[in-house]
Amino acid sequence: MTHSHNHTACVQVALTNAAQLCAERGVQLTPIRQQVLELIWANHHAVKAYDLLERIKPLQSAAKPATIYRALDFLMEQGFIHRVESLNAFIGCTDLRTVHEQLLLICKQCQDVEERQANAVMQSLADELKEAGFTAHHKAIEIHGICQNCQQ
Amino acid sequence: MTHSHNHTACVQVALTNAAQLCAERGVQLTPIRQQVLELIWANHHAVKAYDLLERIKPLQSAAKPATIYRALDFLMEQGFIHRVESLNAFIGCTDLRTVHEQLLLICKQCQDVEERQANAVMQSLADELKEAGFTAHHKAIEIHGICQNCQQ
DNA sequence: TAATGATATGTTATATTGTAACATATAGAA
DNA sequence: TTCTATATGTTACAATATAACATATCATTA
Ligand SMILES: [Zn+2]
Ligand SMILES: [Zn+2]
Ligand SMILES: [Zn+2]
Ligand SMILES: [Zn+2]
């Protein structure tokens, strides 16, 4: 994603959808929440909470850790962002309109994180969980390696 | 696993295999490393580093965070334990003799973590990664929910 | 033997990540 | 207006993890 794409469009889609969904749901996309979402969408890297804190300070001089973590909690509840567990970091969700499980491909070289639907994987996982008698509430599927662009 | 099994056997297998593998590999299972491994194997819960620190202090009064993290690094390098990314915690590996990807089923109720081979899942994941052109180095697949025993 | 090098541990300090708790503000509903 | 829910401000701290340098131990080898 770092490589040649119209990222302005990515950001605009994300923000427009978030605003729309908030309106539909009767929740508030406040300035702080919107700014945090925009900062996360600065690129396709996973962003750390304290990096967000530094970056939002020019806009919100009173910002403290709780400011960021509250905004992150909200954005996660609404499904606008995902937490990358193995990085303690956050990325914008690229598929706001679908209820989905996320498979995250995390490139060690360019730091980009790609979210994929991976329906076949999710289906075999569902089969496996059924066999195990396990009721899933949340799935974290995070693959670290080298992305297609970085291999060339 | 909490429910009715011979856990003494689990521990013994884990420790015996670890000792054997260290001998084969020419690395040292020092007292600290062995004690940390035993503490991790106290049960099938994921254990946090600072809990290990408290628990090892009666045995190693000089223990500090670095003591634990170094032992954990060693045990992970040797494949004797896994890090549970979504819990910042560690579990003993139940399958020391096989090179494998781990699928971790994490029960919210009893805290047990079950490691499963899940060959079908891994195969569809491999297919998906191939399609994505992504070369995987490390996989963290962690499912949170309710285990079979806790549902009854 | 003595010097060397590799490994493991001791020790202090600090960096990073995340929450708790309580106060204040704001705005719509009753 | 008063109440209530929601959002934010603020202080303090808890929990997780690493850096950096000192010391110890032991096998190798000059
Ligand atoms: Zn983009
Ligand atoms: Zn890349
Ligand atoms: Zn057991
Ligand atoms: Zn359970």
Side-chain angles (χ1 to χ4, degrees):
Chain A
M1 291 290 189
T2 294
H3 319 258
S4 68
H5 81 284
N6 177 11
H7 187 61
T8 308
C10 295
V11 177
Q12 193 174 353
V13 167
L15 293 176
T16 304
N17 278 328
Q20 168 100 42
L21 287 166
C22 283
E24 287 174 13
R25 294 169 185 171
V27 296
Q28 300 177 52
L29 190 61
T30 62
I32 289 177
R33 292 167 175 174
Q34 164 144 1
Q35 285 160 9
V36 170
L37 184 56
E38 282 193 57
L39 289 171
I40 288 174
W41 272 103
N43 52 45
H44 290 268
H45 300 191
V47 198
K48 302 204 150 241
Y50 277 73
D51 288 343
L52 289 169
L53 179 55
E54 290 314 305
R55 292 187 206 165
I56 208 175
K57 274 183 177 165
L59 304 169
Q60 298 285 343
S61 57
K64 301 275 183 314
T67 313
I68 297 298
Y69 282 104
R70 284 167 179 161
L72 291 171
D73 285 346
F74 172 84
L75 296 170
M76 282 191 290
E77 277 167 15
Q78 299 301 320
F80 301 160
I81 64 173
H82 299 299
R83 181 180 159 84
V84 186
E85 299 289 351
S86 51
L87 295 176
N88 296 334
F90 303 85
I91 55 162
C93 175
T94 54
D95 188 20
L96 289 182
R97 291 273 167 191
T98 310
V99 173
H100 65 287
E101 324 284 352
Q102 71 270 32
L103 165 63
L104 300 182
L105 305 186
I106 301 156
C107 180
K108 287 174 175 171
Q109 185 157 326
C110 69
Q111 328 303 336
D112 271 10
V113 179
E114 184 188 358
E115 180 177 354
R116 293 178 70 94
Q117 293 267 132
N119 292 322
V121 176
M122 294 308 168
Q123 185 54 60
S124 28
L125 182 53
D127 295 344
E128 176 74 17
L129 294 175
K130 185 167 186 186
E131 192 185 319
F134 192 92
T135 303
H137 293 166
H138 176 71
K139 299 172 183 148
I141 309 179
E142 305 179 357
I143 314 299
H144 293 254
I146 304 293
C147 78
Q148 190 161 39
N149 283 312
C150 287
Q151 281 175 83
Q152 290 160 353
Chain B
M1 289 292 189
T2 294
H3 320 258
S4 69
H5 81 285
N6 177 11
H7 187 62
T8 308
C10 293
V11 177
Q12 193 175 352
V13 167
L15 293 176
T16 305
N17 278 328
Q20 167 100 43
L21 287 166
C22 282
E24 287 174 13
R25 293 169 185 171
V27 297
Q28 300 177 51
L29 190 62
T30 62
I32 289 177
R33 291 167 176 176
Q34 165 146 1
Q35 285 160 8
V36 170
L37 185 57
E38 283 194 56
L39 289 171
I40 289 174
W41 271 104
N43 52 44
H44 290 268
H45 300 190
V47 198
K48 302 204 150 241
Y50 278 73
D51 288 343
L52 289 169
L53 179 55
E54 289 314 306
R55 293 188 206 165
I56 208 174
K57 275 184 177 165
L59 304 169
Q60 299 286 342
S61 56
K64 301 276 183 313
T67 312
I68 297 298
Y69 282 104
R70 284 167 179 161
L72 292 171
D73 286 346
F74 173 84
L75 296 170
M76 282 191 290
E77 277 166 15
Q78 298 302 319
F80 301 160
I81 63 173
H82 299 300
R83 181 179 159 85
V84 185
E85 299 289 352
S86 50
L87 295 177
N88 296 333
F90 304 85
I91 55 162
C93 176
T94 52
D95 188 21
L96 288 182
R97 291 274 166 190
T98 310
V99 173
H100 64 289
E101 322 286 349
Q102 71 269 32
L103 166 62
L104 300 182
L105 306 187
I106 302 157
C107 180
K108 287 174 174 171
Q109 185 157 327
C110 69
Q111 328 303 336
D112 271 11
V113 179
E114 183 188 358
E115 181 177 353
R116 293 178 70 93
Q117 294 266 130
N119 293 321
V121 176
M122 294 308 168
Q123 184 55 60
S124 28
L125 181 53
D127 295 344
E128 176 75 16
L129 294 175
K130 184 166 187 188
E131 192 184 319
F134 193 91
T135 304
H137 294 167
H138 176 71
K139 299 173 182 146
I141 309 180
E142 305 179 358
I143 315 299
H144 294 254
I146 305 293
C147 78
Q148 191 161 39
N149 283 312
C150 289
Q151 281 175 83
Q152 290 160 353

